Amino acid sequence: MPVGESRQPSQSDAADEAQWVWAEIKAEARRDAESEPALASYLYSTILSHSSLDRSLSFHLGNKLCSSTLLSTLLYDLFLNAFSGDPDLRSAAVADLRAARSRDPACVSFSHCLLNYKGFLACQAHRVSHKLWTQSRKPLALALQSRISDVFAIDIHPGAKLGKGILFDHATGVVVGETAVIGDNVSMLHHVTLGGTGKAGGDRHPKIGDGVLIGAGATILGNVKIGDGAKIGAGSVVLIEVPPRATAVGNPARVVEGKEASKLDECPGMSMDHTSFISEWSDYTI
């Protein structure tokens, strides 16, 4: 099975998984409310008073992204209609929750991710803005993008396509251009840019394969393909295609050839291993 690829669950499997995750979230919220009474009313209003993950997430996003002129009730209805009417949006949210819980050691619970991880929240809000974009509701999609950028400091054009199991770790300063595509089980850290190379229009942004790991501060420019299971080192500037299971580092980035020219056997987007290439690449030590 290719890097980062997992069996596509049936609708019944996806519904069962969503129910299990939602039950875990409610149990976690109850424990937190008991151990920290100061949060009891907050946890009740955001999680415990709701009958489903769709409703809880829609309520939370509506309150996070509202403004004096873009009301929380309007946003709640917008998000709830999108999540309840599209099983793919629901399964993607569950996959993203699982990604944060399994890949980030600082993520102590599903409820912590749901309430506090701005990368997760921005990703779910973007999925709705992308749905609006594909429905030719572009003014509303762009207004939502603007609010996501204002509130979460993450700028994802509503035209960008995202897979499932995405982790935006820390997430501050992430920029994703209009024609970018991000595959399944991708992890990227803060201040990553998937940008164009100038003012030309058309298909001009990177295509990120499944299972890719992109380190903090990396910049990938142009309509270049980053192959499945590739790894982009922190601070790298990538202007060329990166083969599957390869590692690219530097400014400008070059593909690292290991001592035995071996390629990665892991799925970096899921292992979160940022430094394994160093021992294969160089004997240099500090």
Side-chain angles (χ1 to χ4, degrees), residues 222-266:
N223 185 13
V224 296
K225 170 70 175 177
I226 308 301
D228 293 350
K231 185 184 297 187
I232 309 299
S236 299
V237 178
V238 180
L239 305 173
I240 59 174
E241 294 197 355
V242 177
R245 297 178 178 267
T247 298
V249 294
N251 181 5
R254 62 188 180 91
V255 175
V256 170
E257 294 292 344
K259 294 175 181 177
E260 298 179 358
S262 62
K263 292 187 176 181
L264 299 169
D265 293 325
E266 61 180 13

Side-chain angles (χ1 to χ4, degrees), residues 100-135:
R101 186 73 179 94
S102 63
R103 298 178 210 165
D104 184 0
C107 185
V108 297
S109 65
F110 289 117
S111 60
H112 173 50
C113 178
L114 172 64
L115 296 178
N116 303 321
Y117 269 42
K118 67 179 185 177
F120 168 78
L121 294 170
C123 191
Q124 309 323 307
H126 164 76
R127 296 187 197 283
V128 175
S129 73
H130 178 70
K131 187 177 181 68
L132 295 169
W133 185 263
T134 61
Q135 295 171 339

Side-chain angles (χ1 to χ4, degrees), residues 148-161:
I148 295 167
S149 179
D150 289 345
V151 172
F152 298 125
I154 302 166
D155 193 3
I156 310 175
H157 192 281
K161 299 176 182 178

Side-chain angles (χ1 to χ4, degrees), residues 1-3 15 21 23 33 39 42 81 100 103 110-111 114 149 155 158 162-163 183 188 242:
M1 183 174 291
V3 169
V21 169
L39 290 176
Y42 170 66
N81 287 336
R103 298 178 210 165
F110 289 117
S111 60
L114 172 64
S149 179
D155 193 3
L162 273 59
M188 63 176 69
V242 177

Side-chain angles (χ1 to χ4, degrees), residues 59-122:
F59 177 86
H60 194 43
L61 286 174
N63 279 280
K64 283 281 190 180
L65 295 173
C66 68
S67 69
S68 59
T69 53
L70 194 60
L71 301 182
S72 62
T73 50
L74 182 151
L75 290 176
Y76 172 77
D77 289 340
L78 177 68
F79 287 125
L80 185 58
N81 287 336
F83 289 124
S84 61
D86 190 335
D88 288 339
L89 290 183
R90 296 197 300 270
S91 63
V94 172
D96 294 348
L97 282 166
R98 282 191 168 277
R101 186 73 179 94
S102 63
R103 298 178 210 165
D104 184 0
C107 185
V108 297
S109 65
F110 289 117
S111 60
H112 173 50
C113 178
L114 172 64
L115 296 178
N116 303 321
Y117 269 42
K118 67 179 185 177
F120 168 78
L121 294 170

